[in-house]
Amino acid sequence: MIVLRDIVKRYTMGEEVVQALAGVDLDIARNEYVALTGPSGSGKSTLMNLLGCLDTPTEGTYTLNGRDVSGMNDTELAQVRNREIGFVFQSFHLLPRMTVLQNVMQPLVYRGMPQDERRARAAEALGKVGLGDRMGHRPNQLSGGQRQRVAIARALVGAPSILLADEPTGNLDTRTSAEIMALFDALHAQGQTVILVTHEPDIAAHCHRVLRVSDGRIVEDRRQVPVRAAS
Ligand code: ADP
Ligand code: ADP
C-alpha cells in the first residue's frame, strides 16, 4: 500500500539547509499496525507529513495505493489526503464552536456529499468510538479522552486507507491513554491500517511493527507480538 524509495527531505531556511530525511526505504502493507519511534529531531514528524501527503519529498518516490504522489501539486495532494488519510494529533484540533457531530461531519464537506448522508456517517463514526450519546456537546464539555475519541471519529469518517496518529496519547493520563490505545487496537483488528508516532515504549508495545528513526534514517525495523490494553 505504501512504498517509499530513497526518500530525502531537505528544509532550506535562508542559508541553512537541514536534511531531515537522509534516504528512507519503507514498505507498509494494508492492515499493518506500525509505531514510529526515535529521539526528538530524528525526522519522525517529517516522515509522517510525507506519509500523510501534507508535504512532498525533495528526492525519491512515494507510491500510495499504486499512485505516485511524490510529484503532486498542493491541489492534487489535498484530494489524496481527503480520500486516503485520517489524521489524529496530540492536541485534538477540534473546532470549539462546533458540536461534536459537526466536527466529525466536517471532512465530508469536501466530498460534495448531501447533508443527510454526512450526518449519518458522522453519527456512525461516533458510535464506533463510543460517543453516540455526546453528539450535541461542544468539545469543551468533554474530557481529554472523549475529545481524542471525537478526533478519531473525524479521522475515520471518510473511511481512509491509513490512520496516522502523531503522539495521540501525549496529552492524556495513563488510564485514558490505555483506553485510547484499546480503541486503536480495535480499529486495527477491524482491518484499519494504523501508523503512529510515539516515544513511549508502552504505546509502541501495542503495535505489530516498530520502526526506529535516527538522524533521518530508519535504523531499526522490528516485528513483535503486541500487548493488549488491560480492560
Ligand atoms: P521529530 O519529529 O523526530 O522530532 P522532525 O521531523 O520534526 O523530527 O525534524 C527533523 C529535523 O528537521 C530537525 O532537525 C528539525 O529541526 C528539522 N525540521 C523539521 N521541520 C522543519 C521545517 N519546517 N523547517 C526547517 N527545519 C525543519
Ligand atoms: P503538538 O505535538 O504540538 O500537539 P500536533 O501533534 O497537534 O502538535 O501537530 C503535529 C503537526 O501537525 C504540527 O506541525 C501541526 O502544525 C500539524 N497539524 C496540526 N493539525 C493539522 C491539521 N488539521 N492539518 C494539517 N496539519 C496539522
Side-chain angles (χ1 to χ4, degrees):
M1 181 160 68
I2 289 172
V3 182
L4 299 182
R5 287 293 174 269
D6 300 322
I7 294 287
V8 173
K9 181 66 184 181
R10 287 186 210 98
Y11 296 108
T12 309
M13 296 175 297
E15 302 279 280
E16 202 192 340
V17 178
V18 177
Q19 181 157 285
L21 294 176
V24 170
D25 290 290
L26 179 62
D27 291 71
I28 296 176
R30 192 169 298 281
N31 198 25
E32 284 205 72
Y33 192 5
V34 182
L36 214 54
T37 67
S40 181
S42 59
K44 302 182 297 296
S45 298
T46 300
L47 183 53
M48 286 294 261
N49 288 344
L50 292 180
L51 289 173
C53 299
L54 289 163
D55 205 351
T56 51
T58 311
E59 292 170 19
T61 56
Y62 174 16
T63 311
L64 173 60
N65 292 324
R67 283 170 82 191
D68 184 357
V69 297
S70 25
M72 284 187 174
N73 64 34
D74 289 347
T75 311
E76 294 168 321
L77 279 182
Q79 277 167 4
V80 173
R81 260 195 325 269
N82 190 244
R83 292 274 160 192
E84 309 281 358
I85 315 285
F87 292 101
V88 176
F89 300 98
Q90 180 171 353
S91 48
F92 320 136
H93 293 289
L94 300 175
L95 296 169
R97 292 176 191 284
M98 289 192 179
T99 65
V100 161
L101 185 67
Q102 288 166 337
N103 267 281
V104 176
M105 286 167 69
Q106 198 60 29
L108 300 176
V109 170
Y110 310 104
R111 302 237 183 141
M113 200 179 271
Q115 168 132 334
D116 284 358
E117 193 180 341
R118 282 192 277 134
R119 196 182 295 278
R121 291 205 189 191
E124 190 190 334
L126 282 163
K128 219 172 177 176
V129 302
L131 284 180
D133 56 348
R134 294 284 191 279
M135 298 199 288
H137 287 58
R138 312 251 166 206
N140 67 7
Q141 298 173 301
L142 301 177
S143 69
Q146 290 172 329
R147 288 181 205 186
Q148 192 60 303
R149 284 173 190 273
V150 176
I152 292 169
R154 182 187 53 191
L156 290 173
V157 73
S161 53
I162 309 168
L163 185 59
L164 290 181
D166 197 348
E167 300 276 5
T169 61
N171 280 331
L172 303 174
D173 62 39
T174 308
R175 214 194 81 207
T176 310
S177 293
E179 286 170 15
I180 292 296
M181 289 314 296
L183 179 55
F184 281 114
D185 292 353
L187 294 169
H188 168 254
Q190 290 159 28
Q192 182 68 52
T193 307
V194 180
I195 305 175
L196 52 88
V197 169
T198 185
H199 59 266
E200 295 176 54
D202 288 354
I203 300 297
H206 285 254
C207 297
H208 292 232
R209 184 177 176 191
V210 179
L211 300 172
R212 191 157 58 85
V213 182
S214 177
D215 290 332
R217 293 176 204 276
I218 294 173
V219 295
E220 191 182 348
D221 183 351
R222 181 163 51 83
R223 310 242 170 208
Q224 65 182 13
V225 177
V227 302
R228 286 286 165 252
S231 53

